[in-house]
Amino acid sequence: KSKYSKKTLVYYINLASVPLLASAVLLRGEATAVIEAIHVASPLFLAVNVVVAVVGGLLGFVSLWTVHTLGAGAYSFIGALLKVPVVLIGTLLFGDVLTLYSGAFCALGILASVIFSIGESAKQPCQCSCSRQQLRSLGLTTFL
């Protein structure tokens, strides 16, 4: 059990992303472009950014709930599998071309989540009603 509330965890997780994003903007030389952009001062731009910030915060709560409910292994695996539809939707909506790079991105993410899921499941005893002999016959010795 964490000594921090979920609200505090989401706040600090989001706050931790600010230095990373700011350093990326500075390293790429985009700071002046952001400051000089006409749209930054418009009310519509500000309203859309408030909505995005609220949705991002809610996603943090959903992520914590998912890890709490399903476990870290399932959360990692689901997150990796979601890369595939994101790449496909991006290809369809924005006319992007599927490349070896985007395919490797999906494959690497899925591979990493499978390895992580196997590692997480190896730490926990099997909670299923199958006997050890049945699991061995199926080749599922990883879960024993």
Side-chain angles (χ1 to χ4, degrees):
K1 178 105 177 148
S2 175
K3 63 181 181 176
Y4 299 106
S5 70
K6 286 187 174 107
K7 190 173 165 182
T8 304
L9 287 172
V10 168
Y11 172 76
Y12 283 121
I13 288 168
N14 286 322
L15 188 64
S17 68
V18 172
L20 293 172
L21 294 172
S23 62
V25 167
L26 292 173
L27 288 173
R28 294 179 53 123
E30 297 174 350
T32 55
V34 171
I35 293 169
E36 294 172 358
I38 298 168
H39 304 294
V40 175
S42 76
L44 179 61
F45 181 83
L46 296 174
V48 167
N49 276 293
V50 167
V51 170
V52 168
V54 169
V55 170
L58 292 174
L59 277 172
F61 284 111
V62 169
S63 296
L64 290 174
W65 174 80
T66 305
V67 170
H68 174 74
T69 305
L70 300 176
Y75 177 76
S76 173
F77 192 69
I78 291 167
L81 289 179
L82 284 175
K83 288 176 177 55
V84 175
V86 165
V87 168
L88 294 177
I89 289 170
T91 301
L92 294 173
L93 288 179
F94 302 112
D96 197 10
V97 178
L98 282 176
T99 63
L100 183 61
Y101 178 77
S102 58
F105 168 74
C106 288
L108 186 63
I110 291 171
L111 177 66
S113 72
V114 167
I115 291 169
F116 180 79
S117 299
I118 290 170
E120 282 294 310
S121 66
K123 291 193 285 187
Q124 302 169 3
C126 180
Q127 300 294 325
C128 64
S129 60
C130 301
S131 70
R132 291 184 181 271
Q133 184 60 34
Q134 288 171 321
L135 290 173
R136 279 192 192 98
S137 68
L138 294 171
L140 299 175
T141 55
T142 306
F143 301 103
L144 297 177

